[in-house]
Amino acid sequence: MTKILRIDTSIKGPYSVSKKLAEKITAKIGGDVTVRDATALPVIDGAWIAAAYTPAADRTPEQKAALALSDELIAELKAADVVVLGSGVYNFGVTGPLKTWIDQICRVGETFKYGENGPVGLVGNKRVIVAYASGGVPVGSAYDLATPYIRQVLGFVGITDITVVAAQGVNVDEAAALANADAQIAALAA
């Protein structure tokens, strides 16, 4: 059975278009689903960084506790076959909760390492479907800072199979934006 990790990152709760798209995408693919609400994740801090850069064998109990959630998030990511990533666009970029999830899962020695020729992703290539929702920022436009960032950071950890399902222009014509996204979802391979 396909293992799906769905990450919800919108602060709009039940009114979130990206969350609704992510739910539809998850239903289309089908499988064993783990849902992670990134709005509940804590931001990393100095203690987290110190713990992350301390060799595992040398970590104090406090450092291990500081990384426990990160370890859990990384395990979820590595266990998934497919990641459905809800991504609203706030001020041209990703949401704060999405950035927080990214900060929690990007760890040297766990999801990437540095080799002779630069960074090497350790997650393994997974299928990622981004549920992109914007009020008026088209995917790939000069104003879209979200999707290039998502592609960059996922590539950094080794994930390059990325599809974007977009409901763009929700504030211009919501019905048309949602119909277009629904057509993209219908065309996805399960």
Side-chain angles (χ1 to χ4, degrees):
M1 179 176 287
T2 302
K3 292 183 180 179
I4 301 170
L5 172 61
R6 191 182 91 211
I7 314 253
D8 294 331
T9 70
S10 174
I11 60 173
K12 294 181 177 182
Y15 305 104
S16 168
V17 172
S18 65
K19 182 176 180 177
K20 290 175 186 173
L21 293 178
E23 289 169 347
K24 289 178 182 180
I25 292 165
T26 302
K28 165 74 176 178
I29 295 167
D32 182 22
V33 181
T34 298
V35 178
R36 177 59 73 172
D37 179 0
T39 66
L41 298 177
V43 296
I44 64 171
D45 60 14
W48 187 98
I49 290 289
Y53 281 91
T54 298
D58 298 334
R59 289 184 188 135
T60 66
E62 293 81 14
Q63 288 177 318
K64 290 175 185 175
L67 295 178
L69 177 59
S70 175
D71 291 339
E72 184 179 332
L73 297 172
I74 290 168
E76 287 174 352
L77 177 61
K78 287 183 175 180
D81 301 308
V82 178
V83 178
V84 178
L85 184 61
S87 177
V89 176
Y90 297 177
N91 301 315
F92 311 109
V94 299
T95 66
L98 177 51
K99 176 67 167 80
T100 298
W101 179 80
I102 288 168
D103 288 344
Q104 288 279 356
I105 62 99
C106 286
R107 280 190 29 216
V108 68
E110 296 292 332
T111 56
F112 70 93
K113 67 179 181 179
Y114 292 109
E116 290 181 16
N117 298 318
V120 177
L122 300 176
V123 171
N125 203 16
K126 314 233 172 240
R127 181 182 183 198
V128 173
I129 303 169
V130 178
Y132 176 97
S134 76
V137 176
V139 172
S141 71
Y143 297 106
D144 172 21
L145 305 178
T147 56
Y149 174 73
I150 291 168
R151 289 182 189 282
Q152 174 68 35
V153 76
L154 292 178
F156 183 73
V157 299
I159 301 170
T160 58
D161 181 1
I162 302 166
T163 301
V164 177
V165 171
Q168 51 197 6
V170 172
N171 290 346
V172 178
D173 185 344
E174 184 172 350
L178 295 175
N180 186 27
D182 286 343
Q184 293 170 60
I185 293 168
L188 287 174

